[in-house]
Amino acid sequence: EDKITDFEGLWLVLKVFEIHGMHEKCIEILSGSLGTLCKIETERKKLLISYYKILNRKQEIQESAKEILIHSPDDWDALTTFIETETR
C-alpha cells in the first residue's frame, strides 16, 4: 500500500488482482484508503459496481448506483444499472 501513490498504480494493482480472479480484494482496496486515489468518486463507484456485478452482489450494485444518481442524476450508466438490478 505504501508504494502506491497515484491512480495509475492503483489501476495496475486492481488489474493484477482482477486477472487472478481476486475480485473481493479489488473491492477491499477500492473501499479502503487506496480508493481515495480515484480523483472522481463516481469513477470509484463505477469500478466497485463492475466487481459487484462479477460477484452478483445485487444489493451493493443498487446502493452504489443510487449513490451515483444522487450526485449525478443524468448518469445514464448508473440509471440503467439501477433499473436492471431492480427488475431482476
Side-chain angles (χ1 to χ4, degrees):
E1 278 190 32
D2 297 337
K3 296 182 194 280
I4 303 169
T5 59
D6 56 15
F7 180 75
E8 290 75 16
L10 172 64
W11 183 258
L12 182 62
V13 168
L14 290 173
K15 290 298 153 191
V16 169
F17 283 123
E18 191 176 311
I19 288 168
H20 292 286
M22 300 175 69
H23 302 106
E24 288 285 348
K25 185 67 175 172
C26 294
I27 291 169
E28 181 183 320
I29 289 168
L30 286 168
S31 299
S33 61
L34 287 177
T36 60
L37 293 175
C38 292
K39 302 280 188 246
I40 303 170
E41 181 64 14
T42 301
E43 292 305 313
R44 187 180 74 81
K45 293 284 184 196
K46 287 182 178 185
L47 284 170
L48 283 167
I49 287 172
S50 70
Y51 297 119
Y52 293 147
K53 283 182 175 180
I54 292 167
L55 298 171
N56 199 28
R57 295 168 106 186
K58 182 180 174 180
Q59 184 174 349
E60 288 92 340
I61 294 168
Q62 287 177 324
E63 289 171 4
S64 294
K66 185 176 180 180
E67 288 174 23
I68 292 170
L69 288 169
I70 288 170
H71 300 288
S72 301
D74 60 343
D75 189 307
W76 184 251
D77 290 333
L79 181 60
T80 56
T81 297
F82 185 80
I83 291 170
E84 285 173 359
T85 54
E86 280 291 313
T87 59
R88 288 187 191 166

